[in-house]
Structure formats: structure tokens, C-alpha cells
Amino acid sequence: MTTQYESVIAEFDPIIGIETHIELGTNSKMFCSCSAQFGGDPNTHVCPVCLGMPGSMPVVNRAAVESTIRMGLALNCSIVPWCRFARKNYFYPDMPKNYQISQYDEPLCINGYLDVTVATANGPQVFRVDIERVHMEEDTGKLLHAGGAGRIHGATHSLVDYNRAGIPLIEVVTKPILGTGDLAPDVAKAYVAQLRDLMRALGVSDVRMEEGSLRCDVNVSLSRPGEEWGTRTETKNVNSLRSVERAVRTEMLRQADRLRAGDRITQETRHFNEGTGDTTSGRSKEGAEDYRYFPEPDLVPIAPSKEWIEELRATLPEIPSVRRARLQRDWGVSEFDMQSLVNAGALELIVASIDAGVQPAAARKWWTGELTRVANERSCELEELTVTPNDIVQIENLIAAGELTDKMARSVFEGLLQGEGTVADIVHQRGLIVVNDDASLIAAITAALADSPDVAEKIHSGKIAAAGAIVGAVMKATHGQADAARVRTLLLEHLGIKE
Amino acid sequence: MSLDSDLTRQSAATLATAIARKEVSSEEVTRAHLDRIAQVDSRIHAFLHVDAEASLSQARLVDAKLAQGVLLSPLAGVPIALKDLVATKGVPTTCGSRILEGWRPPYNATIVEKLMAAGVVSLGKTNMDEFAMGSSTEHSGYGPTHNPWDLDRIPGGSGGGSAAAIASFEAPLAIGTDTGGSIRQPAAVTGTVGVKPTYGGVSRYGIVALASSLDQAGPCARDVMDTALLHSVIAGHDPRDSTSINAPVPDFVAAALNADVRGMKIGVIRELQGDGFQSGVLERFNQSLDILTELGAEIVEVSCPHFHYALGAYYLILPSEASSNLARFDGMRFGIRVDDGNDRSVEQVMSATREKGFGAEVKRRIMLGTYALSSGYYDAYYGQAQRIRTLINRDFAAAFATVDVLVSPTSPTTAFKIGEKLEDPLSMYLNDIATIPVNLAGNCAMSLPIGLAPEDGLPVGLQIIAPAMADTLLYRVGSALESALVDRWGGLLISEAPSL
């Protein structure tokens, strides 16, 4: 039986394209010296420039230009010798000037690529995603709808917080991504994940997705093999990796339904509903908003010298794909295992844990095992869990000191995931203390042997594996607070058996 | 100087010297001008805002500094009038528009900071065509300004308030801004001097933008030396305006003192004479050429063939930029908000605010600009206009390859009657035919009075144009011509103006 998705793939080829906006981690805003920190009391990170006061003028933040050039270089782009900012004109109350300073037909970085690895049933597969452009722009303010239900519909009034207005953004635009077939949703997700990792590796942004610092617009079209490209839709503001994948899949299914019914696809923007995973129609592109772009006359062109570009190129860190290969070698893991931990979003967390002092095997074990399982259950990203690499360090130290057993460590993780406090708090509150008093362990062993007299015989007859039953019984009797290895040693000693 | 005479009749240079020598206090000088404003401005309407107490306390501060032996600048203690699109902290700044009624900027323009640091005392804010769109100051949302030479006539525009304030002796100095002639044309029709500096020579930070690629603030005064002194105070690189020139400021005052045109080649632009130019304007202009020849300059005719397209290009670029610059006036953050309280949407409030707040000329230009920038029209209009701009630049470059400066009448006519051209925007726009090419190219120019047109007895201005960053040439040629004319007249032309 084929699934609905498989039947879509059998009939149509998807073409996807992704525009990603990422807030840069500069200290100050794109065009003024206000703090670019997230949060702050409303309208405290503002000045005449980012409020769009009459007469005020923008000045380009050099650090933002450097970040953009470094990002462009890491994406294998050409850095243009000369480019300008442009004004994108439209009215919206969160836009202080009613135009956004952006780049239009003269982006700073053009024609690059990112090789994206996707796990498939037949092993990892690499897709080259061509990058059309990387450019700079400023973010808008934020609207807060007040009164009524707090939603835009039914609100009695809206408040504007301009702290975000003028925060530097870079926009990375792919060329149409062809030939992904059934992997289109996976390629989309993997691309955004790798882009995020690249930004972090470059240190140009810490990409806090939960704060909305990375936002994707996902373009999807379908066409039957051999036919012209289909009409595309653009699903706006898709803000998590999982949503990127879902948005592509949902849109493929929806468009296929319409095409099969003989309908036309309307070129439009669509909204992604995080709750249902559906997309709904936004405004139609056919009555397209006309942004009346023209070169920003308040700024001078940017003309990065060759020397400056080479200086910046020299600051690029190891590129993520090379680094990944190195880590795989260092850790001695298979390609398959490496890919699955990357897909689970565990790579950086494992690296951070190792950097903090955890053994590679232990770091991998926790992040790809227990924690990945919980993240999947909760449909969230690993990094959104309330467990940090530092917690892993503390737990591993306690295990090494013999103060926690593996089983008790799991209980600590459970406590962390439920927000019960720090590792120390949880150990204390849950009474997690290893029973390392040999006398009481031997008493428990004796009792367990008495309950299962046949086991001692089996062990004596050479079936040492049978010891497991007794160890298990002792662990149960001590509520998991014994060290299983110690119990096994004591048991064998008790029976006078040498391994 | 003889200080028994009226303080308001003195030049800024004379007043500054007397203040520095403590022959008179800044407070006395300021008070004399405030009294003059109180006496005549009900008839002139040069000012939109005067705060006498604030001006006097500023003046007293300067006097206190002088008493301590601190000389702030060669203009310390002299009062000035500011065009009402210069942002002044806590002081109403309307740009001549109802939409900004009640707005008090939370910050000072860079030039205001420079003026304050120099001890120049602000008298108030002057009337202007709304958002600097116009050549007559009739498009002010607060009523027209009257020309001191004839109260039934316009004082030019958009900086009619600044020019009229100087011409009526309400202020010795004023700040204007010039996007297509808004300093020079008012200077010409009021018998005063105005300079449009090289684009980027004076910071635009805090000057409410009309057309960002054309706007330039500059000095207005009654003689060339005073404009040079004021230009020196406001010029210079500003890190807050990345389009400002990052180079040392030339010595404009030394240039004004070097009033010598011997051996200079002065070009007359063939395209800026003849048809459309009033006969008395051309007559005075030709007399000035004769004087320049007598002073030792060589007059040659040059052709700038693309100037024919300048007006058309200007009226695409200006409205395009203005339509974007003025988008922020939406009733959300500053100025008036029109909301009848009936649960209006944001769009309805923005629309009602703009409908009420903007005047007809502003709406006309916003619509022109919005259209010109629209997808599908951009190349044909804005793109084409930018190409014309390049051609005009080449015309100037070719001309300056053979001559040192260019001259033309500043305005094709003398001051016209209030109301005369209000219904005919095209004929209004033609007033700036000689001044616009300079803004398109970004170089510098000065207008200075050269006499009265015989047919109407009204002032005529001559425009001197120099290459970008060669503003000193304006002062050298301007002061040479001015001193020859003053010798003939026995004083400045403005002293011929009717007493009010």
C-alpha cells in the first residue's frame, strides 16, 4: 500500500526554495548605536534613528557588513565589489519609516552553495543547494495586540515595541532546489539546520530559534515530469526546523490535491499554522504589493576591498562539513550513527558537552539516547530541552565518583526535564544516594539467592550469565540505588566463583 | 561701527566684532531683533515660532562665556533664524506642515549643535513651503510669507521665511535648505545672499528630508562675507550622515576676503538665458558680466545641452524620494492623528491623517513619486531621470574643463504676486530652471543681488556655480562682484528696500 505522500511523489516532482532571515548577533543595531540585545523593557533600545524620527539618518554598522561577508564566504559566494542598500516601501505600524532599508537588485553576496547531507534508507545523500544571494536588511518592530482575546482580530488596540526595529538581519536566498523527490521536506529541514550551524560556527549569530531569530519563507511548487515548472506558493514565517519540514510536506500534499482536481495553484503567500501543520492562504501575489524599491539615498555604496575580504576570509572557522568528518573520525563512529546524531540536532550539544569535559561516548549516549527520545516525544528540538551540556558534566562526574548509578542518572535527567532544579537539587530531593555499603548489599544478595535457589546452581554449573537475575533482584530491592557492577562482583565472591 | 545706529541694520560680522569687543551684548543684539520681529512680522510672517525668553537666555549664556574670556566662534552672540525643517530639541518643528503640528523633536540636528557650540543664538523657526515643496512659500500649511520689497509678492520658496526674515532685518543670518533652489531663488527675489554648498558639505542629520539625494542646508545673509562666516560654522564631516564629505573644511572667509577675479574664466550658460527670462533680469545680468569683465575676468559662453532635461528629471527624482521620505508621517508616532474614535483601522487612521495633514502640493508630489517608482514604470521614469543626472554631470564637467565658474540669472523672473501661479504648478516649477541642475549634479552655487529690474523695481539675483568642493570660488567671485556693485550703489541693495 502506498501512502498519500508516496502517491504524490509518484506523480509530481517538487521544486523548493527557501528564504531565511537570521538576526545577526552584533552589539548594536544595523543603522544606529542602540543595543541589539533581545528583550529589554519595551521601547528602551530606541533612538531617533531606529524610531524613524523626521530628519534622522542611518549609518551602516560595519560589524554587520563583516558578518554578512563572512557568511557569504562560508557559503562559497562571490562578494560583489560594489553594492547599495535599497528602500522597500510599504505601510505597516511596526515599520518606523514605512520603508525598510534592505538590499534589492544589488546584494552583497551572490552565487554560492551549501552541500546538505540527508540520511536516507540507502545511507547519507548529499544535495548541493545553490545560494542565489545573501543580503543585509533591518528588522521591524513588534506589535502587541491588547484587549479582546489578545489576538489581532478582536483586539481593542495595538501597542508597538520598537526594540527590535533596526536589528540587523541577513537574508539567505536559495536558487530553486530541484531533484529532491521524496526527500524535499528532509532537504529543506537539513538545509536550514546546516545554515543555522554555519551561523553559529561563524559566531555571527547564536540563532535562538525560540526567540524568532531565524525565520524561513518556504517556496514550493509541483510539476509532472517533463512539464513546465508549476506555480509556486510561499509559506511565510516558518520558525522551527520541524515546521520547515512539515510546511514543505503539507504544501506538497495540498497542491497535489488541487492539481489532481484540475484546479490552478494560485501564486500567493501562505501562513503556516504551528498547531495543525496546515497552511492557509495569505495575500495573493497577483495583486502583488508593489514595494517601489529604489537605491537608499541616505547611505553611500558599500565597496569592500579585496584586502578586507581576504582578511575576513582568514577568520573563517573550519567549515561544518569538514569539521563533521573530523569529529566522526575522532569519535570513531559510523557514518550512519554520525548522520543520525546530526539529524537529531545533537552534534553541537555533544561537542559542547565534550568541550565541557564529558567523555565522547558518554556525551553521545545521553544526547542521542534518552534525550532524543524525550525530544521526539515532545516534538521539539533537543536544544529546547531544559538540559545543558553543563548538566551532563555534573552527572558524569557523579557517576565517575560512584555517587550515581546509571539508573539514578536517568532519574536526574527526568528531574531536569521536568524542571525540578539543578542536578544537585534533584539528587537531594529525589534522595538519590548510592548504596555502597557492602554488608547491606551482601544481605540483599543472600536474600535474593534464597528466593531463587536454582540460580546459584546455574552459576555454579558455569552459567555465569544467570547472575543477572540476582543483580536485578538486588537492584530492585535497593530501589536502583546500588551499583550493579559492585553487586555482581560481590555476588560472584559470595559464591566463590572467579571469572 | 557706530552702535548708535539700529542694531538690526548691521551685518553679522559687524555685530560679532562688537559683541566680542563687549561694545554691545548678545542679549542687547538679540533683544533688538526680537523687538523688530514683534514690530514687523505680523506683516511679513517670516516666523512660525519665536520663543523670546529662550533666545534671550541663550544670549545671556554667550555673554557669560564672553565675560569669562571664552570666544566661542567668529559669530558668537549673533542671532539666527532657522528654517522650520531643522530639528531643534524641544522646539516645535513643523516643516510648514499641519501634519507635524505639535511635534517637538527629541533631538537636535547636527547643524543646530554646531550653531549652539559656536554661540549663535536661535531666534526661532521660519516659514516655508510645506516640506520644502514650492517656490513661493504659499504652500505653507500656516499661510504665506510676504516679500519685504512688496507685501503682495512672494518671497520665493521654499525658504521664503528665512529670506524674508533677513530682508526685513528681523535676523542677520538664517539657515535655509536647497533641494532645487530653495535657498538661492528666495535670496534672488528678496535681494539677499544665499549659498547652496556642495552636496555633503553640510550635515543633513536632523534636517527633515525632502529628497535626500538633492537636499543641502546652507547659509543665508545680507552679504557675501556673512554667508562665508555662517558656512564655516555649519560645514564639516558628520559621522551621523554618511553622505557628508570627509575632508577638511576649506577657508570660506579667506576666500571672501580674496575678492579678486583677475585672470579667471567665467562661463555663461547658453541654455539659461533668452526665452522665459524677464528682460530686466537679463539686463541686470548682462551688466554684471560687464562688471566682471572690468574686474579682469574673461567671460566666455558655454553650452550645457542636457540642462533642457533637468526640470523633467528633477520632477521625477524629487517626488520619488519624497514619496518615500514622507511615508513616515502616518499619525502613529508624531504630529497629528486623525481618528474619529469609531474603531477605525490603522489604514483608515493613516489615510485620514494624511488627507488632513498634507496640503495639495505635497499630495501631488507623493502621487507623482509613487507612480514613478511603481513596478513597470521605474526604468522609464526614475531610471531614466538618473541617466539624465549623469548627463548633466558631464555637461558641468565639460564646462569646468574650460572655465573656473559658471554664471546665470538665479531665477528667470523677479518676485511674482501671491496667488499668481498657485493654479499653474508647471509655471511655478519653471522658476527653478536655473537652480535645479546644480542640485542634480551635487556641486555648489551662490545667489547674490545684482540690482533692481527696471520694469518692476524688484531685486534680481545672479547665480555663481562652482565645481563640487570648490565652494571657495563662490566666495571669491561673489565678494568681488558684490564689492564692485556696493561701490556703485553706495551700500547694499537691501538698504533700498522699503522700510516696513
Side-chain angles (χ1 to χ4, degrees):
Chain A
M1 200 186 89
T2 54
T3 63
Q4 196 193 348
Y5 182 73
E6 283 163 345
S7 77
V8 169
I9 291 302
E11 190 177 349
F12 299 99
D13 288 333
I15 299 176
I16 55 174
I18 303 171
E19 294 168 26
T20 312
H21 294 85
I22 309 115
E23 284 180 356
L24 290 174
T26 51
N27 293 326
S28 56
K29 290 187 177 181
M30 186 72 227
F31 299 114
C32 64
S33 54
C34 287
S35 166
Q37 285 293 306
F38 176 79
D41 285 339
N43 297 310
T44 52
H45 300 170
V46 295
C47 72
V49 177
C50 57
L51 287 175
M53 284 288 166
S56 67
M57 292 179 71
V59 175
V60 176
N61 179 343
R62 185 182 171 93
V65 177
E66 288 187 344
S67 293
T68 310
I69 293 177
R70 292 177 73 235
M71 189 67 186
L73 292 171
L75 288 171
N76 308 291
C77 290
S78 310
I79 310 304
V80 301
W82 188 91
C83 69
R84 287 183 293 190
F85 284 94
R87 290 189 186 176
K88 179 179 183 179
N89 294 284
Y90 65 98
F91 283 86
Y92 206 72
D94 66 5
M95 283 242 299
K97 304 180 291 289
N98 286 322
Y99 59 80
Q100 179 191 31
I101 306 178
S102 178
Q103 292 196 284
Y104 179 49
D105 51 355
E106 298 168 329
L108 181 55
C109 318
I110 54 169
N111 296 333
Y113 63 87
L114 181 63
D115 285 332
V116 171
T117 312
V118 179
T120 74
N122 307 319
Q125 199 179 332
V126 176
F127 288 88
R128 174 155 293 188
V129 174
D130 286 322
I131 305 293
E132 173 147 332
R133 58 189 287 162
V134 182
H135 77 243
M136 297 167 279
E137 58 188 31
E138 57 177 341
D139 210 342
T140 60
K142 251 188 205 163
L143 286 182
L144 250 132
H145 303 292
R151 313 262 311 243
I152 190 159
H153 296 293
T156 55
H157 58 285
S158 300
L159 301 169
V160 199
D161 178 3
Y162 290 107
N163 283 355
R164 199 180 70 177
I167 297 225
L169 292 179
I170 64 172
E171 181 172 339
V172 181
V173 182
T174 69
K175 290 184 179 163
I177 308 167
L178 311 172
T180 53
D182 63 327
L183 292 172
D186 305 278
V187 171
K189 179 185 176 185
Y191 162 74
V192 177
Q194 276 184 233
L195 198 62
R196 177 199 61 185
D197 294 346
L198 188 59
M199 301 278 293
R200 285 182 179 160
L202 289 167
V204 298
S205 170
D206 49 5
V207 196
R208 296 147 315 204
M209 295 182 82
E210 68 286 0
E211 291 172 6
S213 70
L214 181 149
R215 312 193 280 275
C216 296
D217 301 338
V218 178
N219 289 270
V220 176
S221 71
L222 294 182
S223 56
R224 292 186 173 86
E227 286 183 358
E228 273 184 37
W229 291 6
T231 303
R232 71 187 164 87
T233 60
E234 182 182 15
T235 305
K236 304 286 272 187
N237 288 324
V238 186
N239 293 348
S240 75
L241 296 180
R242 188 163 165 271
S243 298
V244 169
E245 181 184 8
R246 286 166 83 205
V248 173
R249 190 180 299 270
T250 308
E251 202 42 29
M252 284 168 66
L253 293 170
R254 188 193 68 85
Q255 291 188 13
D257 273 354
R258 297 210 47 178
L259 291 168
R260 283 168 172 159
D263 288 342
R264 242 165 34 92
I265 301 297
T266 314
Q267 190 180 343
E268 62 183 356
T269 60
R270 298 186 67 81
H271 299 302
F272 182 71
N273 184 323
E274 294 275 350
T276 62
D278 289 344
T279 66
T280 49
S281 178
R283 57 191 146 75
S284 163
K285 277 257 172 172
E286 284 167 4
E289 204 154 341
D290 184 345
Y291 292 121
R292 290 173 283 117
Y293 283 102
F294 72 102
E296 168 57 271
D298 281 337
L299 292 170
V300 291
I302 296 173
S305 68
K306 284 208 171 86
E307 294 72 27
W308 190 28
I309 294 170
E310 289 316 310
E311 256 171 55
L312 293 172
R313 196 192 299 278
T315 68
L316 295 185
E318 187 179 26
I319 64 168
S321 58
V322 173
R323 172 166 167 266
R324 183 185 305 181
R326 175 175 60 78
L327 291 172
Q328 190 186 335
R329 273 198 314 279
D330 290 355
W331 298 344
V333 298
S334 71
E335 176 68 35
F336 180 82
D337 285 350
M338 193 68 184
Q339 192 53 51
S340 36
L341 69 84
V342 167
N343 288 350
L347 182 69
E348 297 309 322
L349 293 163
I350 293 171
V351 169
S353 305
I354 294 169
D355 288 349
V358 179
Q359 289 301 310
R364 282 208 319 280
K365 179 183 77 177
W366 293 120
W367 286 113
T368 59
E370 185 69 8
L371 295 171
T372 295
R373 187 183 59 73
V374 174
N376 286 339
E377 254 173 40
R378 296 189 183 176
S379 296
C380 70
E381 299 300 325
L382 264 183
E383 62 181 15
E384 293 172 47
L385 296 179
T386 49
V387 176
T388 66
N390 196 36
D391 293 331
I392 311 260
V393 176
Q394 291 182 45
I395 291 170
E396 277 295 314
N397 285 345
L398 291 172
I399 293 172
E403 288 173 35
L404 277 185
T405 65
D406 196 71
K407 178 146 190 222
M408 288 154 72
R410 284 171 206 279
S411 173
V412 176
F413 279 116
E414 194 182 284
L416 287 169
L417 290 164
Q418 287 172 14
E420 291 174 14
T422 65
V423 170
D425 292 344
I426 293 164
V427 166
H428 178 70
Q429 285 156 17
R430 294 196 167 205
L432 299 171
I433 297 153
V434 173
V435 179
N436 49 13
D437 160 11
D438 285 359
S440 45
L441 289 177
I442 289 168
I445 289 167
T446 314
L449 287 170
D451 286 348
S452 320
D454 54 321
V455 176
E457 277 172 41
K458 280 185 188 166
I459 297 171
H460 280 298
S461 67
K463 290 186 179 168
I464 293 176
I470 299 299
V471 174
V474 172
M475 294 303 290
K476 196 173 174 188
T478 57
H479 306 288
Q481 301 196 3
D483 177 352
R486 182 68 190 155
V487 173
R488 192 170 182 278
T489 308
L490 288 173
L491 170 64
L492 295 181
E493 269 176 32
H494 182 72
L495 296 175
I497 290 177
K498 289 203 170 119
E499 276 186 283
Chain B
M1 100 182 181
S2 55
L3 280 171
D4 47 28
S5 59
D6 183 350
L7 288 171
T8 65
R9 307 292 289 191
Q10 312 301 326
S11 73
T14 310
L15 290 171
T17 306
I19 293 168
R21 288 180 185 157
K22 303 193 181 68
E23 294 165 16
V24 63
S25 69
S26 173
E27 187 180 355
E28 288 169 285
V29 171
T30 303
R31 196 181 295 282
H33 286 92
L34 290 167
D35 289 347
R36 175 75 178 168
I37 293 169
Q39 183 198 340
V40 304
D41 204 52
S42 58
R43 282 167 283 155
I44 302 293
H45 194 224
F47 284 87
L48 292 179
H49 176 83
V50 176
D51 184 344
E53 249 337 288
S55 304
L56 289 170
S57 74
Q58 247 187 306
R60 284 191 283 266
L61 267 175
V62 176
D63 286 330
K65 290 260 183 194
L66 283 169
Q68 292 163 19
V70 183
L71 180 61
L72 298 166
S73 80
L75 283 179
V78 178
I80 194 166
L82 302 172
K83 192 174 179 181
D84 202 30
L85 45 47
V86 179
T88 39
K89 190 173 179 176
V91 178
T93 301
T94 67
C95 302
S97 181
R98 288 285 175 187
I99 209 163
L100 269 180
E101 205 167 348
W103 184 55
R104 291 169 186 258
Y107 75 107
N108 276 324
T110 295
I111 61 167
V112 171
E113 287 181 355
K114 283 179 182 261
L115 289 167
M116 286 171 70
V120 179
V121 176
S122 170
L123 292 168
K125 309 295 285 288
T126 59
N127 199 11
M128 54 186 284
D129 284 299
E130 186 177 3
F131 288 108
M133 297 183 195
S135 309
S136 68
T137 316
E138 291 167 287
H139 295 303
S140 167
Y142 301 90
T145 296
H146 301 265
N147 192 322
W149 289 82
D150 176 348
L151 298 180
D152 291 334
R153 291 181 187 264
I154 59 102
S158 64
S162 283
I166 293 166
S168 61
F169 300 93
E170 293 174 311
L173 297 171
I175 292 293
T177 63
D178 191 313
T179 304
S182 289
I183 288 176
R184 291 162 286 161
Q185 181 257 11
V189 301
T190 57
T192 57
V193 183
V195 175
K196 185 212 97 77
T198 298
Y199 183 79
V202 175
S203 168
R204 289 191 292 123
Y205 187 82
I207 291 165
V208 180
L210 165 56
S212 312
S213 73
L214 303 164
D215 294 346
Q216 186 58 211
C220 310
R222 286 186 293 262
D223 67 36
V224 171
M225 178 53 84
D226 280 1
T227 54
L229 285 163
L230 181 52
H231 193 170
S232 303
V233 168
I234 60 175
H237 178 64
D238 180 5
R240 291 181 293 189
D241 172 4
S242 39
T243 67
S244 72
I245 297 166
N246 195 353
V249 176
D251 192 339
F252 307 124
V253 175
L257 290 169
N258 179 22
D260 183 359
V261 294
R262 280 176 299 175
M264 285 183 85
K265 263 180 132 172
I266 295 177
V268 176
I269 302 168
R270 186 182 303 150
E271 287 76 12
L272 294 180
Q273 45 188 324
D275 278 357
F277 285 80
Q278 192 180 315
S279 65
V281 168
L282 290 177
E283 189 180 331
R284 292 294 171 230
F285 177 67
N286 289 325
Q287 279 176 0
S288 296
L289 296 182
D290 293 341
I291 295 172
L292 287 166
T293 307
E294 285 166 30
L295 292 173
E298 182 191 348
I299 305 290
V300 294
E301 193 177 73
V302 298
S303 174
C304 294
H306 298 99
F307 281 20
H308 286 308
Y309 307 105
L311 198 69
Y314 177 81
Y315 277 100
L316 287 168
I317 291 167
L318 177 140
S320 295
E321 293 183 11
S323 71
S324 174
N325 282 330
L326 270 57
R328 72 191 68 198
F329 302 102
D330 58 7
M332 293 295 124
R333 290 164 302 276
F334 29 73
I336 62 164
R337 175 184 294 183
V338 180
D339 184 356
D340 61 11
N342 289 331
D343 278 345
R344 297 298 181 195
S345 70
V346 163
E347 289 77 11
Q348 286 171 325
V349 171
M350 284 183 183
S351 172
T353 301
R354 290 165 73 83
E355 164 60 29
K356 177 159 184 247
F358 286 144
E361 182 63 21
V362 171
K363 287 176 189 159
R364 174 159 40 230
R365 296 201 197 180
I366 289 173
M367 282 188 277
L368 276 171
T370 304
Y371 184 78
L373 288 176
S374 297
S375 143
Y377 297 99
Y378 179 91
D379 282 337
Y381 294 127
Y382 191 81
Q384 199 68 3
Q386 291 293 6
R387 284 186 277 279
I388 297 292
R389 210 166 170 172
T390 305
L391 294 174
I392 286 168
N393 251 310
R394 285 186 198 156
D395 279 359
F396 273 124
F400 289 127
T402 58
V403 300
D404 298 298
V405 294
L406 295 165
V407 290
S408 77
T410 308
S411 174
T413 68
T414 55
F416 47 90
K417 286 253 167 74
I418 289 175
E420 189 182 326
K421 297 191 177 182
L422 216 42
E423 301 307 318
D424 183 0
L426 280 182
S427 109
M428 184 84 88
Y429 296 169
L430 279 167
N431 255 281
D432 298 327
I433 189 121
T435 47
I436 279 171
V438 177
N439 299 81
L440 289 172
N443 47 358
C444 57
M446 167 190 284
S447 176
L448 74 161
I450 52 170
L452 303 177
E455 60 270 35
D456 54 21
L458 291 167
V460 175
L462 175 138
Q463 171 177 236
I464 307 164
I465 306 171
M469 298 179 75
D471 307 46
T472 50
L473 286 176
L474 305 176
Y475 292 105
R476 187 173 151 195
V477 177
S479 60
L481 179 57
E482 180 187 65
S483 70
L485 289 165
V486 166
D487 282 349
R488 294 182 174 214
W489 299 329
L492 291 173
L493 186 68
I494 195 70
S495 54
E496 305 292 318
S499 62
L500 292 159

